[in-house]
Amino acid sequence: MTDIPLAVAWLVTIVLIEAAIIDGRQLRVPNWLTFHFAAAGLAYAVWSGGRESLIWSLEGAGVGLLTLLPLYAIGGMGAGDVKLMAGLGAWMGPAVTLGAFVATAVTGGVISLVMIVRSGEAARHWATFQMLGREILVIRDPSTLAMRAAERKPTMMLLPYAIPIAIGSISYFTWLGLLS
């Protein structure tokens, strides 16, 4: 499945916007949204193209899952964000999902920098960034890293990551011409 129908691109866009709004308000992306999003993407693939389309959809879900899973494993983001990317992949396939991930990472980086500058505590955030980098390189145990991240969470400035996922992905879809 290489051509993504306009209606599918818009459906994914609407779900991403809904997830961003919920995450912005609640700091979580609920399972009722991500589970149905991914399951519907797989079901649509079977309905619209059979076995070949299902494989394409599963590959996309896998790409979406694998792009954010390492950050989740060390406590850097919530499971809802990971499942949201997997759902995006189930609908959009592996190539578009990988491009959307890159756009999402750039968007997340820009938003993070703006948040840091606006906080007026750039030096503190830089020191924290260096400490996190050292921890990842030295500890290398995802469960220990996740535990440390959970301990720090109350004092950290948090970015509801469904927001960069939505902005980056929708921008990428627009750049590809999928929304027109």
Side-chain angles (χ1 to χ4, degrees):
M1 185 172 195
T2 54
D3 292 325
I4 297 168
L6 181 63
V8 167
W10 276 104
L11 173 75
V12 171
T13 296
I14 291 165
V15 172
L16 292 176
I17 292 169
E18 180 179 19
I21 291 169
I22 293 169
D23 199 18
R25 290 180 177 164
Q26 300 176 7
L27 286 177
R28 62 183 300 274
V29 181
N31 284 333
W32 63 261
L33 179 63
T34 58
F35 175 77
H36 292 105
F37 185 43
L42 295 171
Y44 175 77
V46 170
W47 176 78
S48 67
R51 182 175 184 266
E52 182 179 313
S53 186
L54 175 62
I55 291 168
W56 175 85
S57 182
L58 287 168
E59 289 171 349
V63 167
L65 185 71
L66 292 175
T67 57
L68 296 182
L69 196 58
L71 279 174
Y72 167 73
I74 63 172
M77 72 174 37
D81 302 314
V82 179
K83 293 179 280 188
L84 183 64
M85 280 299 290
L88 183 151
W91 283 97
M92 304 302 278
V96 173
T97 302
L98 187 58
F101 164 71
V102 171
T104 292
V106 170
T107 302
V110 169
I111 292 172
S112 296
L113 286 174
V114 169
M115 289 171 66
I116 289 167
V117 169
R118 289 187 70 199
S119 76
E121 298 179 351
R124 180 178 73 84
H125 290 290
W126 177 247
T128 300
F129 177 75
Q130 291 176 312
M131 178 196 60
L132 292 172
R134 281 191 300 274
E135 279 185 5
I136 290 168
L137 292 173
V138 172
I139 296 172
R140 297 191 305 211
D141 174 40
S143 60
T144 302
L145 291 167
M147 182 182 67
R148 289 187 176 204
E151 291 168 356
R152 277 192 292 270
K153 188 175 180 179
T155 64
M156 300 288 287
M157 184 171 32
L158 302 176
L159 171 59
Y161 208 71
I163 294 172
I165 290 172
I167 294 170
S169 298
I170 295 166
S171 298
Y172 185 64
F173 300 165
T174 303
W175 184 72
L176 290 177
L178 296 175
L179 298 175
S180 55

